[in-house]
Amino acid sequence: MIHFRRVSRAFISAWALCVSASAFADEPVQTAEEPTPYDVIIRNGRVLDGSGSPWVLADIAIKDGRIARIGRIPGRADHEINAEGKYVSPGWIDAMDQSGEEILANGLAQNKLAMGVTTLIAGEAGIPATADKIGDYFGTLRERGISVNFATYYSATQARVEVIGDTSRAPTPDEMCMIRGKVETAMEAGALGLTTALIYPPGVFQTTDELVEIVSAAAPYDGIYATHMRDEGANLLAGIEEAIEIGERAGVKVEIFHLKAGYRPGWGTLMTDAGKLIDAARDRGVDIAADMYPYTAGGTGLDVAIPPEIFAGGPAAAFEKLRDRAFRAKLIERIRNDEFGEWSKANVVVASGGWDGVVLADAHSATYEAYAGRTIADVAEALGEDPYELAIKIVLSAYPKRAFGFFFMMSEEDVRTALRFPWTSIGSDAGISVDAHGMPSGDLSHPRANGTFPRIISEYVRDNPVLSLAEAIRKMTAWPASRHGFNDRGILREGLPADITVFDLATIKDKATWTDGAAMPVGVEHVFVNGVHTLRNGQHTGARGGMVLRGGGAASISRGQAAKQQSPGVRRCE
């Protein structure tokens, strides 16, 4: 207890001086002993530390790439930003990025930084390198320089294809040993864990038992099993149950990619039931969570409307069969008669309410590019075609590229329900734009590529509130960082790397739409990546201060490390 009668006059005078100084927020206090200059001071910001706590008024000083001090900061820096009235948070983390190849082509990642994102977590389809070359892949990124931090999963399907090729058959015991060796190699090179995309061939041919055996090879490295589930529609709950089973049996954490209730007849109920199922698993100790994007349509290839058994012999053989008009006619008849077992229930065209709910986005074909932005049903009527026949023709015309569509499977109510789950994080399910200006390529891009993170703040915090601002920031920072083992990211603490996003709550807004997916957002003013000022007043500075972040069996590697890490050799089976 303080005895006020004993407080000295000197103490009172010092206290009065501090109170007087605090009234001049824009004027750094000069002390008798000048502090070490900082590289940057962000002053007067409403600081959200990422933990979910409310904002506090504070300055943040950056020195040598790290947060040197948070609070009332005397002294000056080489560069100062007045963030009065603005919010300052940890850099935002894209928990489901698709930039494994794109980051090689465009390390500047303009569209990601414009959204306030400083860290990408990629790998749904794996890594664009074989297991024994992952170290080289990471080395290339470091040598070229990247503007964002980048981490990635390896794919269980990729490991399988590296050993047995693009086929529907099961691996032999010897081949399984080799597949597991690929996983070990990938984990030691720095993969975060293993992914699956179980609606696409050849992943669709992998059984639960096979996946358990493959994924368990990542368990000693604290790997994560992250999955685009077998069904996100009518059988959503069964898809979640399979993911939980794989995680429990393999002894790893589970991450559900782009959680959605993609089935019109289940709107309003399926997402609530999914939340209860995941909550129940968490209650019994299963470390499971999910990411999501805030849109009512998914975006994927039109080839998902073709039953996967057609691809059992690989894509080349499948497209050869599909070129036969009689084969297509019989196939379409079988689809309409629901003759494809579980796939018939998971058919995303049915989930979208039919071809009226599927929009042609990118035909990759001069024959059909003029129809971008129209539903397949509308285009079919205009051309006098059966919509399924037309969709297959568009797929064939694009091959070997992939014709792309928007599938309006979800409801706004279910998006809002999923956002309220405390264990959901935010992932765009989109990649870096690859042209010289950071713009999306193709006819139409999904608006999530340029709008996801500003949309969370503008739509679901400010305009039509679902989340508090502090909770939205937690979902985009501390929570995904913790889930993926990045304990020095996603939080504002002294001594940690300075990944920082400064934004204006009053003006932040996603501008990308279904008809103009290239429109860039507004309201993100400054972004620092490892202390490097990478977005200044909304404009990319050209800086490449990003790092390769490695998980599993390896540690994070910073930019500028002298020796390029090499992956260990692939394991040999007896």
Side-chain angles (χ1 to χ4, degrees):
M1 178 180 294
I2 296 175
H3 295 277
F4 289 96
R5 286 174 296 180
R6 299 176 185 173
V7 175
S8 69
R9 290 185 179 181
F11 177 87
I12 293 171
S13 298
W15 175 81
L17 179 61
C18 289
V19 170
S20 176
S22 69
F24 302 96
D26 292 332
E27 295 295 329
V29 175
Q30 302 299 310
T31 62
E33 184 177 341
E34 187 72 18
T36 303
Y38 303 109
D39 299 326
V40 179
I41 298 177
I42 303 169
R43 294 199 182 276
N44 311 315
R46 299 177 181 184
V47 176
L48 291 152
D49 68 3
S51 70
S53 299
W55 64 266
V56 298
L57 191 64
D59 307 332
I60 298 180
I62 300 170
K63 179 69 174 176
D64 296 330
R66 294 184 175 270
I67 298 171
R69 187 169 176 183
I70 301 175
R72 183 72 177 87
I73 300 175
R76 295 190 179 275
D78 296 336
H79 177 60
E80 298 199 6
I81 295 171
N82 183 7
E84 184 175 2
K86 309 298 172 28
Y87 290 84
V88 183
S89 79
W92 300 344
I93 297 174
D94 192 338
M96 205 244 167
D97 169 75
Q98 296 279 17
S99 298
E101 293 187 0
E102 287 81 357
I103 198 167
L104 290 168
N106 180 19
L108 292 174
Q110 294 97 328
N111 61 317
K112 299 289 183 173
L113 285 154
M115 291 193 290
V117 171
T118 60
T119 298
L120 313 182
I121 300 174
E124 179 192 14
I127 299 173
T130 56
D132 59 323
K133 297 297 183 182
I134 292 173
D136 293 335
Y137 168 75
F138 287 155
T140 297
L141 295 180
R142 291 195 302 276
E143 290 166 3
R144 294 182 181 179
I146 53 179
S147 293
V148 290
N149 302 313
F150 180 79
T152 182
Y153 291 92
Y154 182 63
S155 167
T157 305
Q158 178 181 3
R160 184 184 197 270
V161 170
E162 285 184 29
V163 174
I164 68 172
D166 191 344
T167 177
S168 62
R169 72 171 178 84
T172 67
D174 285 346
E175 289 168 340
M176 178 58 76
C177 179
M178 295 173 66
I179 290 170
R180 287 172 57 87
K182 298 278 188 182
V183 172
E184 293 171 4
T185 296
M187 295 302 295
E188 291 179 4
L192 298 176
L194 291 181
T195 61
T196 55
L198 298 178
I199 71 167
Y200 304 115
V204 68
F205 304 122
Q206 294 181 281
T207 66
T208 302
D209 288 343
E210 178 185 324
L211 289 170
V212 169
E213 190 167 358
I214 295 172
V215 173
S216 65
Y221 305 95
D222 196 26
I224 305 170
Y225 173 60
T227 181
H228 177 149
M229 296 180 295
R230 210 175 292 275
D231 193 341
E232 300 174 317
N235 294 317
L236 171 63
L237 301 185
I240 295 172
E241 287 170 346
E242 182 187 33
I244 291 170
E245 180 184 351
I246 291 168
E248 284 192 292
R249 289 174 58 190
V252 298
K253 293 187 287 190
V254 177
E255 179 78 7
I256 294 174
F257 279 152
H258 46 56
L259 178 66
K260 62 175 70 72
Y263 184 59
R264 286 183 180 238
W267 286 358
T269 58
L270 259 183
M271 184 58 78
T272 299
D273 291 342
K276 291 177 180 177
L277 180 58
I278 292 172
D279 281 337
R282 290 181 61 84
D283 286 346
R284 69 171 187 269
V286 179
D287 193 348
I288 179 174
D291 58 68
M292 61 176 295
Y293 51 78
Y295 296 93
T296 56
T300 190
L302 290 178
D303 53 0
V304 298
I306 301 171
E309 73 173 51
I310 305 303
F311 295 89
F319 285 110
E320 185 62 32
K321 288 185 287 187
L322 288 167
R323 290 187 184 96
D324 184 281
R325 186 179 182 88
F327 179 85
R328 293 199 304 270
K330 181 63 176 176
L331 173 65
I332 292 167
E333 180 183 359
R334 293 181 64 200
I335 292 172
R336 291 204 169 103
N337 291 335
D338 296 334
E339 295 179 14
F340 289 95
E342 290 300 313
W343 179 85
S344 294
K345 299 176 185 177
N347 186 337
V348 294
V349 178
V350 175
S352 302
W355 289 110
D356 284 319
V358 182
V359 171
L360 177 61
D362 193 343
H364 283 299
S365 163
T367 304
Y368 298 105
E369 64 184 7
Y371 299 101
R374 297 170 64 176
T375 68
I376 296 297
D378 181 39
V379 178
E381 182 177 1
L383 297 178
E385 294 263 21
D386 174 89
Y388 248 113
E389 171 77 3
L390 172 64
I392 295 173
K393 283 184 175 180
I394 295 173
V395 168
L396 289 170
S397 183
Y399 185 73
K401 292 184 176 180
R402 196 175 184 214
F404 193 83
F406 301 145
F407 294 77
F408 285 83
M409 300 179 286
M410 295 86 81
S411 73
E412 181 62 27
E413 176 188 355
D414 286 340
V415 170
R416 295 167 73 86
T417 295
L419 279 171
R420 292 187 182 99
F421 298 144
W423 34 259
T424 49
S425 57
I426 308 304
S428 69
D429 193 16
I432 291 169
S433 302
V434 297
D435 79 3
H437 304 289
M439 294 287 107
S441 58
D443 294 343
L444 291 179
S445 64
H446 196 298
R448 64 194 179 195
N450 285 358
T452 292
F453 292 83
R455 180 172 175 78
I456 290 292
I457 303 298
S458 63
E459 176 65 20
Y460 298 102
V461 172
R462 185 189 64 209
D463 297 342
N464 296 289
V466 174
L467 303 170
S468 70
L469 179 58
E471 174 65 1
I473 294 299
R474 184 189 71 85
K475 285 175 173 288
M476 303 194 308
T477 58
W479 176 233
S482 176
R483 283 284 294 161
H484 292 88
F486 301 140
N487 295 322
D488 61 346
R489 308 279 165 175
I491 201 84
L492 296 180
R493 292 286 186 271
E494 292 178 3
L496 298 186
D499 291 348
I500 298 173
T501 294
V502 181
F503 64 98
D504 186 340
L505 180 60
T507 63
I508 192 169
K509 179 70 177 175
D510 58 306
K511 296 289 189 177
T513 66
W514 298 110
T515 56
D516 184 12
M520 299 295 273
V522 296
V524 176
E525 299 189 354
H526 300 276
V527 176
F528 291 83
V529 182
N530 298 305
V532 178
H533 203 171
T534 311
L535 195 78
R536 179 185 291 124
N537 297 320
Q539 300 299 312
H540 200 299
T541 66
R544 296 176 184 252
M547 297 180 178
V548 172
L549 304 180
R550 302 196 304 165
S556 296
I557 298 180
S558 66
R559 69 191 191 286
Q561 181 171 327
K564 182 171 69 174
Q565 174 105 359
Q566 298 294 330
S567 296
V570 176
R571 303 295 184 273
R572 295 183 180 274
C573 296
E574 297 298 331

